[in-house]
Every structure is written in structure tokens, then in C-alpha cells.
């Protein structure tokens, strides 16, 4: 599935503030910023590397992060979503691009690895995450 097709699908499937209080309680207790960072990290990875072999798992993670952002966002954060997401995505695009530049490869690799671990352990495996307890 192409990334340009996947992103609108995610946002159509997850209307902002669509979750009830009961559903919100089931989501991991992490900050809006962390969820936004993880979504930008995942999208930049898709742009750079494609979805890989596990398209279903990747889509599941992107939907989860978009739902989490919607659940965590204040009205001001929701209004500023486009700008903040674009800033985060630009950061990770540049970090991905730095992977091809030997002078900054170590730093880029550390940033990407750290972000991936942060997303995996702090959100995806957290209580209420899609891989809880794994």
C-alpha cells in the first residue's frame, strides 16, 4: 500500500476526539508529544524504507498512534496538529537522509534507534498498547 494512500485512510478512520472516556482509559498513559513524535518517526521510516514485509502490522501501528494522538490532544494541540506534525516529520526526514552521510551517520542512527525503542517500549508495549505484555 502506498504511503500517500495510507495516511488519509488513517485520519479518515480515526476522527479527532472520537474516543469515549472509557476508550481513552484503555490507551497508554503517555504524552501527546511522545505520540506525535512516534507517528512522525513511523511515517518517515515508511517514506525512506517502505512498509517492509509486515504491511498489516505497520498499518496497525499507524492507526494506533493516530488514535492515541486524537485521545491525548487538547483543543490547542489539535488545532496545531498540522504544523507540529510537519515539524516532527521534517526532523525525521532529515535524520533518515543523514543515514547516507558518513559524517553524521552515527548521530542519525542513534536518533532513529532511540526513537524506535522509545516508541516500542514506552507506547506499543505499554498497558493499553497493541503489543501489551510482549
Amino acid at each position: 500500500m502506498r504511503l500517500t494512500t495510507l495516511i488519509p485512510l488513517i485520519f479518515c478512520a480515526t476522527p479527532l476526539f472520537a474516543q469515549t472516556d472509557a476508550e481513552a482509559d484503555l490507551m497508554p498513559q503517555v504524552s501527546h508529544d511522545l505520540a506525535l513524535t512516534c507517528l512522525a518517526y513511523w511515517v518517515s521510516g515508511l517514506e525512506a524504507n517502505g512498509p517492509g514485509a509486515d504491511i498489516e502490522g505497520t498499518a496497525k501501528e499507524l492507526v494506533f498512534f493516530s488514535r492515541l494522538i486524537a485521545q491525548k490532544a487538547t483543543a490547542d494541540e489539535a488545532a496545531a496538529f498540522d504544523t507540529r506534525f510537519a515539524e516532527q516529520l521534517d526532523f525525521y526526514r532529515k535524520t533518515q537522509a543523514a543515514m547516507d552521510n558518513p559524517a553524521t551517520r552515527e548521530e542519525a542512527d542513534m536518533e532513529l534507534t532511540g526513537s524506535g525503542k522509545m516508541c516500542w517500549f514506552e507506547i506499543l508495549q505499554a498497558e493499553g498498547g497493541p503489543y501489551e505484555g510482549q
Side-chain angles (χ1 to χ4, degrees), residues 41-101:
Y41 166 76
W42 247 247
V43 171
S44 71
L46 279 173
E47 290 177 339
N49 309 312
D54 188 13
I55 295 173
E56 186 178 326
T58 301
K60 177 181 179 179
E61 290 159 8
L62 287 168
V63 169
F64 171 75
F65 284 124
S66 61
R67 289 187 65 227
L68 184 60
I69 289 166
Q71 182 251 312
K72 294 290 179 183
T74 64
D76 288 343
E77 287 169 333
F81 173 82
D82 288 342
T83 301
R84 294 180 68 196
F85 180 71
E87 289 169 356
Q88 285 288 326
L89 187 55
D90 185 56
F91 172 79
Y92 283 110
R93 283 175 175 156
K94 288 177 180 172
T95 304
Q96 290 276 6
M99 296 296 287
D100 293 329
N101 183 343

